[in-house]
Every structure is written in structure tokens, then in C-alpha cells.
Amino acid sequence: MRRFQERVLGSCRTDVSSSDGDIWLLGVCHKISQHESTGDVDIRNVFAAFEQDFFSRILITYRKGFDAIEDSKYTSDVNWGCMLRSSQMLVAQALLFHKLGRSWRKTVDKPVDKEYIDILQLFGDSEAAAFSIHNLLQAGKGYGLAVGSWVGPYAMCRTWEVLARNQREKNEQGEQLLPMAIYVVSGDEDGERGGAPVVCIEDACKRCLEFSRGLVPWTPLLLLVPLVLGLDKVNLRYIPLLQSTFKFPQSLGILGGKPGASTYIIGVQNDKAFYLDPHEVKPVVNITGDTQEPNTSSYHCNISRHMPLDSIDPSLAIGFYCRDKDDFDDFCSRATKLAEESNGAPLFTVAQSRSLPMQVTSNSVSGDDTRFEEDDSLSMNLVNDAGNEDDWQFL
């Protein structure tokens, strides 16, 4: 299987060098280059902090030996389930951030946190697990998901939207297993408009209000932004923008990889993309809450692999987690600043409403006193971007 991975993903690299600059891992900067000349002890400490952070991210890979999916004979997702596994990893990180915070680290010398075990249980490989591959496939039928078939990032994002809604309706009176609203950002409601997707603030508010059933105006929010940034490869002008998204405190990384081989990209160091690889085959593990010290080793990786960021498939999806309204406002401010620095080719833009060509300025998002500035060129820019086939395809 490792030989197969290397044929598809290329020969992976595991070396990390301080000469390549700082590492940004899901919104956290590991200042490796700063300590390059301060001594071996400092360098070792910084590298150890990065390695512990990387190791603490939840890894979900191919599994074998689970109950057959629906009426098929598939008891493994080897060679076709990598996008589903990558998406499970992204949602698992969102739950980690929500329940335990970004500073949480997996330790081997302390009892495991109950919240951590509860998260792993949600991604078990059976219909009983809320976010299993079984339930994802069922929820995604309307978007073309099928047992044994590969799926793209856009369909995967929409599938999570459906699955979360199904689980919310199923547990209407109980605790929500995904305690956050989901907002899939696209060019229009059906993802059929070309050009940069628009984070619509009114739509985000609507998702939160629907999630809370009108009880509160804002809830935690999982933003998923599917993109197609080129034809055969990512247009190089988008690489700096992709790198910058990892500096957002709300960063959940990228669903992406090589064509037909999805990975979960969680960090960057200059032109390197650090990723968790779902392609290793592991036996099914039954994580239960009544086990005093469950073996969770298969859910973590101590090898930090990386690939060139400009080699990833242009079809990808970026994730962000906003804990509250202030966090969302901060995200909007950062996203708008990034769009302003994109030389007319943003990854996505921010607007108050779908109906008005109004763009948020980077210094205008400040709590409830949010101001918006009309930009008559916005709609024209979107049309121009959509018409450049080298850069954008329809989502």
C-alpha cells in the first residue's frame, strides 16, 4: 500500500528544516526559523512542539473488516474512500477545537479526555456511529456518492451538510452530535456560478438561526469552501493565498491531494504542504466509552509527511471553524484583507447580502457595528474571473 501511495502522491518527504521558515499548522505558528541561530536546545524544543501538535491531530484512514455497507459486499474502503476519510479528519478537528480547544495535545502519560473519546466514537465504522463512512454514503446519494466510487470535494462538503441535518432531526430533543451549524460556501445556492465563492454574512446568520431553531442568533459555525483553482494543476497565483489561509486562527486545513488520492492538508512551510494520509490500511477499531484506557494509537501519526503545495489537485475544499460571532467577524476581516491582496483573483470574497454587490472592507468588521462599502467593480470582477478558464471551473 505504501508503494501505491508513492505512485499516486509521489515520494513523500518527512524531513523538516529550520532553513525553510516557520511552519503554520491550523492557525498556529511554530517559529522554527526564529530559533535557527539560538542553539540546539531551543531548536529541539520548537521541533518537539511542532511534532506534538502534528501528532495530536486526529488521523482517520482506510479500514478493513467493518460490517458490509448497506446491501453491498464492501467491508473495506481501500482504494476508494480517501476523500471520505479526509473529510472525517477535518470535521474531527473541528470537534476537537470546539470541545477541547486548539491548545489541546494528545499525551501518552495522562488519562485520555472523555470528550476526545466521544469524538472518536462518532467516526467509528458502523451505522451506529453518527459520522461513519456508512452514514456518509447514505447521506450523499443525492450528490453521487456510491460504495466503491471516488467523490470530489464539492459533493463531499454538501454531503456533510445533509448528514448533519439528518442527525439533527434524528436527535431533535437530545444533544447535537455536531454542535455547530454548517455553511457550504459557493458561487450561488446550487454551486453553479463560476468565479470566486462568496461568504454571505446573511447566509451565515441564517444557518446559525436554523441550527438553533430560532433560539439564539448565533452558534458555532463550520465553514466549508469548495474550490476549483485551475484545470490540470493549481494556478500558481493562488498558492500564496492558500498558504495564508493556514494563518487564520479559524483554519481547519484543506481537503486535497493528488488526482484520485485525497489527503488532509493541515499545515504549510513555504512551498511545503504537511498532510495526514488516509491511504494506510488499518483494522477496524471499536472505541467504547466503557474501556478505561482504549487504544487510540491508530488515530494518530508521528510522521510528518509533506508534498509541494503547487502539486496538489486544483479541486479542493478549505475548512474554517468559527466559535462565536466575534470569531466569525475576525474571520471575515481576515478573508476580506486576503481578497484585497489577491490582485483581482481571490479564493473567495465576503459580502453582506447575495442581492447586493457590496463587499466588506478589511477594517469594517467590528462586532455589531459592521459597515459595508459598495464596490461597483465587484460583480464585474467576478464575471471576469469566471470567464478565465485557466483559473476557474464551475463548482
Side-chain angles (χ1 to χ4, degrees):
M1 180 53 67
R2 176 54 57 190
R3 287 195 296 271
F4 167 77
Q5 288 171 261
E6 292 186 354
R7 284 201 305 272
V8 178
L9 293 172
S11 180
C12 68
R13 302 290 300 277
T14 60
D15 56 302
V16 180
S17 171
S18 60
S19 63
D20 290 331
D22 297 334
I23 298 175
W24 281 92
L25 190 70
L26 300 183
V28 171
C29 182
H30 295 277
K31 296 183 178 296
I32 290 176
S33 62
Q34 188 180 73
H35 295 268
E36 186 175 6
S37 59
T38 60
D40 292 340
V41 174
D42 283 339
I43 291 175
R44 285 199 298 269
N45 289 341
V46 174
F47 272 99
F50 161 70
E51 290 169 352
Q52 184 66 15
D53 193 1
F54 188 94
F55 173 74
S56 298
R57 302 310 110 214
I58 292 177
L59 169 72
I60 303 179
T61 69
Y62 288 153
R63 296 286 181 175
K64 61 180 180 180
F66 50 68
D67 291 340
I69 299 172
E70 295 184 319
D71 56 355
S72 76
K73 295 182 180 180
Y74 282 88
T75 59
S76 171
D77 60 312
V78 176
N79 294 337
W80 58 271
C82 56
M83 176 57 74
L84 288 96
R85 298 304 188 180
S86 298
S87 75
Q88 286 179 318
M89 286 190 264
L90 186 147
V91 175
Q93 310 316 317
L95 286 166
L96 267 184
F97 294 173
H98 180 79
K99 292 179 177 290
L100 294 168
R102 179 62 183 86
S103 62
W104 178 86
R105 298 292 182 267
K106 176 75 168 65
T107 58
V108 295
D109 56 348
K110 295 180 181 178
V112 295
D113 296 284
K114 179 183 181 300
E115 293 87 350
Y116 162 71
I117 296 300
D118 290 344
I119 291 170
L120 294 186
Q121 287 179 298
L122 294 173
F123 298 91
D125 293 298
S126 69
E127 291 183 8
F131 306 138
S132 66
I133 193 170
H134 299 64
N135 290 325
L136 279 168
L137 287 165
Q138 177 66 32
K141 285 183 176 180
Y143 290 100
L145 269 68
V147 181
S149 298
W150 201 81
V151 61
Y154 177 79
M156 196 71 254
C157 292
R158 288 298 185 188
T159 293
W160 275 102
E161 195 175 43
V162 173
L163 180 58
R165 183 170 61 248
N166 292 347
Q167 290 294 334
R168 189 162 67 247
E169 293 172 353
K170 184 177 179 180
N171 300 300
E172 189 169 354
Q173 302 302 322
E175 179 185 1
Q176 293 301 322
L177 299 178
L178 186 66
M180 59 193 73
I182 292 184
Y183 176 22
V184 179
V185 180
S186 60
D188 65 8
E189 191 64 27
D190 298 314
E192 294 177 352
R193 182 196 304 169
V198 180
V199 176
C200 177
I201 294 173
E202 288 184 358
D203 285 353
C205 294
K206 180 181 177 182
R207 300 296 190 281
C208 291
L209 200 62
E210 289 174 348
F211 178 79
S212 71
R213 296 184 174 85
L215 297 178
V216 294
W218 198 264
T219 67
L221 183 67
L222 171 59
L223 281 159
L224 299 173
V225 189
L227 298 166
V228 182
L229 300 178
L231 296 177
D232 298 326
K233 60 181 181 180
V234 174
N235 188 304
L236 293 180
R237 67 181 178 180
Y238 294 113
I239 297 299
L241 304 179
L242 290 174
Q243 292 169 328
S244 294
T245 64
F246 288 93
K247 299 179 181 180
F248 287 31
Q250 302 83 10
S251 171
L252 284 175
I254 295 174
L255 301 182
K258 296 296 180 67
S262 175
T263 63
Y264 175 38
I265 301 172
I266 61 173
V268 291
Q269 184 186 31
N270 285 339
D271 61 348
K272 297 176 181 176
F274 290 90
Y275 65 93
L276 293 173
D277 188 356
H279 294 89
E280 184 175 352
V281 185
K282 299 181 180 181
V284 165
V285 176
N286 184 23
I287 301 290
T288 60
D290 52 9
T291 304
Q292 191 168 14
E293 285 296 326
N295 183 359
T296 62
S297 60
S298 67
Y299 286 95
H300 297 274
C301 178
N302 57 10
I303 300 175
S304 54
R305 298 185 174 92
H306 58 80
M307 69 176 86
L309 185 58
D310 62 7
S311 71
I312 66 174
D313 193 302
S315 180
L316 53 89
I318 311 175
F320 302 95
Y321 167 71
C322 300
R323 181 174 295 276
D324 51 32
K325 183 62 165 61
D326 288 342
D327 204 21
F328 177 73
D329 288 344
D330 179 74
F331 163 80
C332 289
S333 178
R334 293 172 186 273
T336 302
K337 183 178 180 182
L338 188 62
E340 291 170 351
E341 297 170 350
S342 68
N343 295 320
L347 294 173
F348 53 90
T349 61
V350 179
Q352 173 68 17
S353 170
R354 286 184 176 275
S355 58
L356 296 174
M358 301 173 72
Q359 188 173 14
V360 183
T361 58
S362 58
N363 60 358
S364 68
V365 180
S366 55
D368 293 332
D369 186 28
T370 303
R371 299 179 300 279
F372 302 96
E373 180 177 292
E374 286 200 24
D375 184 353
D376 293 334
S377 65
L378 176 61
S379 57
M380 183 61 68
N381 287 340
L382 291 176
V383 170
N384 289 340
D385 287 338
N388 189 338
E389 292 185 355
D390 289 338
D391 303 322
W392 283 100
Q393 297 178 41
F394 292 133
L395 285 178

